[in-house]
């Protein structure tokens, strides 16, 4: 997760919603129910999917052992190789380019693993794996911010590999250069710039490439995961995300009994899903943007593996898999 201004905006939104609820509680309660009723979910009697949280946690720990993963660092290269080494035998697309940033040019590598399905269309599951460049002189390793979701995607690869998918193709995307390269503009320093102009380098390149070659129009949905390993898991309801897709995630969480970990708070989040939303791709960001008291671990050297839990990874991983299973059987998907 790259920016801090958004948190301030988010808190304002949360406060605003609370105000609304206190004045008009019946209206606040009616809105989400109306959204849910607009979509019919296929019945599902088969046992729910179960991602292996311990195995995902092991991947997160191994990613963090390489040290900081900011652009151009030795740790970054090691994590690229580490991710690819776990995808041996899978169909892998390598999207490499040079990003021109305010602090120089850097090689950027998006890694995409593809698991084909029988249905026409693609569901993307994405996570950034880079760590924050302005924190490069610290021991910041982004265990939750970039580490947790990247390890979880390796576990999702295990769940998808070698099976015949009776549904959409699923592509896992480890995207690079999500983080801003300069401080985020919230501190008023002369060298700062708005993070909207200095972030999302990797995913923006990938979206533009897929738009040019026709791939993007096959994408039915993007599920983005970021900061999902916190032992105190409360995934936020991001107001930028596509409401009907959020409702599918809520349905998946409810079916698995994990609904208490989802969407208790509402905020606006700018993240890797924005370039997809801009081009009409239904997208949901699964992010728990309250990491430590008052988000105090975010973008600090306190973002370490001891704050995470295998259970949180298992919950989010299983909910993602269940979400895919519901999407596979929803005919037709709601309009974009
Ligand atoms: Zn971040």
């Amino acid at each position: 997760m790259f920016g801090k201004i958004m948190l301030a905006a988010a808190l304002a939104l949360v406060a605003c919603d609370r105000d609304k609820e206190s004045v008009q509680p019946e209206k606040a309660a009616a809105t989400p129910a109306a959204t849910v009723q607009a979509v019919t979910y296929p019945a599902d009697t088969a046992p729910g999917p179960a991602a292996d949280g311990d195995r995902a946690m092991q991947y997160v720990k191994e990613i963090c052992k390489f040290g900081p993963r900011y652009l151009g660092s030795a740790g970054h290269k090691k994590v690229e190789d580490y991710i690819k080494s776990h995808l041996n035998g899978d169909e892998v697309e390598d999207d490499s380019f040079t990003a021109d940033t305010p602090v120089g040019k850097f090689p950027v590598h998006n890694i995409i693993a593809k698991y084909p399905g029988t249905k026409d269309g693609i569901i993307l599951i994405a996570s950034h794996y880079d760590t924050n460049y302005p924190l490069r002189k610290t021991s910041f390793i982004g265990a939750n911010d970039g580490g947790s979701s990247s390890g979880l995607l390796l576990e999702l690869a295990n769940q998808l590999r070698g099976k015949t998918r009776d549904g959409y193709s699923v592509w896992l995307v480890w995207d690079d250069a999500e983080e801003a390269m300069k401080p985020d503009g919230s501190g008023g320093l002369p060298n700062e710039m708005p993070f909207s102009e200095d972030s999302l380098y990797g995913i923006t390149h990938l979206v533009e490439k897929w738009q040019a070659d026709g791939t993007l129009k096959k994408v039915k949905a993007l599920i983005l995961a970021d900061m999902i390993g916190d032992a105190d898991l409360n995934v936020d309801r991001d107001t930028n995300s596509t409401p009907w897709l959020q409702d599918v995630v809520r349905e998946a969480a409810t079916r698995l009994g994990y609904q208490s970990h989802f969407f208790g708070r509402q905020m606006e989040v700018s993240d890797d899903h924005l370039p997809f939303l801009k081009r009409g791709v239904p997208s949901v960001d699964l992010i728990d943007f309250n990491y430590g008291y008052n988000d105090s671990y975010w973008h600090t050297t306190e973002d370490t593996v001891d704050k995470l839990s295998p259970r949180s990874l298992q919950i989010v991983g299983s909910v993602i898999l269940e979400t895919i299973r519901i999407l596979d059987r929803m005919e037709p998907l709601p309009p974009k």
Side-chain angles (χ1 to χ4, degrees), residues 1-3 128 132 140 145 178-179 227 298-299:
M1 182 57 202
F2 64 86
H128 81 92
N132 182 284
F140 177 73
D145 189 357
E178 185 266 355
E179 298 279 3
M227 298 178 69
W298 176 64
H299 281 186

